Amino acid sequence: MVMDRFALEGRLGLVTGAASGLGKAAAEVLAEAGATVVLTDIDQAGLNAVADAITDAGGRAECVPLDVSDRPAIRTAIDDVVARHGRLDVVVASAGITAGPSYRTEAGRIEAIEDTAWDTVVAVNLSGVFATVQAASRHMKSQGDGRIVVVASVAGLKSDPMVGYAYAATKSALVNLVRQAAMELAPHGVLINAVAPGPFRTNIAGGRIRQPEIEAAFSALVPLGRIADPEEIKGLMLLLASPASSFMTGTTIPIDGGMAAR
Ligand code: NAD
């Protein structure tokens, strides 16, 4: 039965950025499919709320506070999880930030970009994801099996008038990080893919996307004419995390209401 290939019973998943938005949605769907999920984030209260909701719904979740810009801490956290659970089957790298407005604003012009703002985004969106993939790969290679899902962005596939330079550049870097890692990991049975979301109604940039005029500006760029709800990423997340995607690796899949096709 094809539906059996979406089951994650007995699997151990770990999600970064799990307290909110797309990471929360990923954690929820992994748990719904039967996985035990380790939720990590810098937002401890948010983590606890997501863990409580998963447990109340009959799932299994635990919280590990983690800042992905602290690369040694990522390695330690993932080593600890493997030591406690004896396995690591799925890792979703969703923690990400956007800092700095689009080039269409004065503050977002290339000459206005501050080094500190650039470095902060690179530390979380690129180096944090790299260290997550690195730490997960080490265990998954020796296990001979594993799934890694990286949350990139449609802003990493083409220019995007709504985001800043560091965001666009780091998301694009993830697309090729995933291709490169897929080559090394394939002979070990470890599959790595990325998703490239268009605009989703989350708390990124302080929930700016929820403001009606910002939502309208994003919606105007989307062929489907609207922004998405985080629930709408769950199907793709489950596909990439489960045996159902057994012949997929090294790819980045847009989930963007048609933006990448425009
Ligand atoms: P969100 O703000 O709702 O969730 C991001 C989570 O990451 C938060 O819980 C936050 O506390 C956590 N986080 C931030 N910095 C962290 C750090 N240093 N260490 C650990 N956790 C950290 O935003 P979201 O939209 O769900 O973002 C998730 C991912 O989706 C990001 O990588 C983002 O770039 C990507 N994305 C979002 C959209 C969108 O429209 N919302 C579009 C494309 C890509």
Side-chain angles (χ1 to χ4, degrees):
M1 288 283 285
V2 68
M3 295 310 284
D4 295 341
R5 291 170 53 74
F6 288 91
L8 294 175
E9 280 306 334
R11 311 266 170 141
L12 196 277
L14 179 143
V15 181
T16 72
S20 177
L22 304 185
K24 172 173 175 277
E28 288 169 349
V29 73
L30 296 187
E32 194 181 326
T36 298
V37 189
V38 179
L39 312 171
T40 75
D41 204 288
I42 45 173
D43 174 3
Q44 173 93 60
L47 278 184
N48 292 339
V50 176
D52 288 348
I54 287 175
T55 333
D56 288 350
R60 285 177 294 272
E62 65 179 57
C63 302
V64 175
L66 176 66
D67 181 343
V68 299
S69 66
D70 182 349
R71 285 179 277 168
I74 296 177
R75 296 177 188 122
T76 304
I78 290 186
D79 288 353
D80 286 352
V81 164
V82 175
R84 272 187 289 114
H85 292 274
R87 57 189 303 123
L88 181 62
D89 302 296
V90 178
V91 166
V92 178
S94 187
I97 54 169
T98 170
S102 139
Y103 60 83
R104 297 186 307 168
T105 69
E106 204 61 49
R109 301 238 197 281
I110 198 157
E111 61 274 17
I113 308 298
E114 304 264 356
D115 286 348
T116 48
W118 174 270
D119 291 346
T120 304
V121 178
V122 171
V124 177
N125 289 12
L126 180 53
S127 304
V129 174
F130 170 70
T132 305
V133 170
Q134 183 187 46
S137 297
R138 201 161 65 78
H139 294 289
M140 289 175 174
K141 276 167 93 172
S142 59
Q143 197 173 264
D145 184 37
R147 297 301 163 92
I148 302 172
V149 184
V150 167
V151 181
S153 170
V154 71
L157 300 177
K158 54 190 295 207
S159 66
D160 188 321
M162 299 299 286
V163 305
Y165 276 96
Y167 190 82
T170 54
K171 292 301 181 177
S172 186
L174 295 182
V175 172
N176 220 37
L177 171 66
V178 162
R179 291 193 190 108
Q180 194 81 359
M183 297 304 104
E184 180 183 342
L185 298 176
H188 301 277
V190 181
L191 281 53
I192 176 168
N193 293 285
V195 297
F200 276 70
R201 195 175 291 104
T202 69
N203 295 316
I204 200 156
R208 172 177 165 266
I209 202 164
R210 298 170 192 277
Q211 296 167 19
E213 68 280 11
I214 304 290
E215 176 171 343
F218 272 110
S219 299
L221 299 170
V222 181
L224 287 181
R226 63 175 178 86
I227 68 169
D229 187 87
E231 284 289 314
E232 296 182 78
I233 206 157
K234 288 186 172 180
L236 179 57
M237 278 290 173
L238 181 57
L239 171 68
L240 295 177
S242 69
S245 58
S246 50
F247 202 51
M248 298 173 71
T249 196
T251 194
T252 295
I253 304 179
I255 175 158
D256 62 353
M259 281 176 83
R262 185 168 251 174

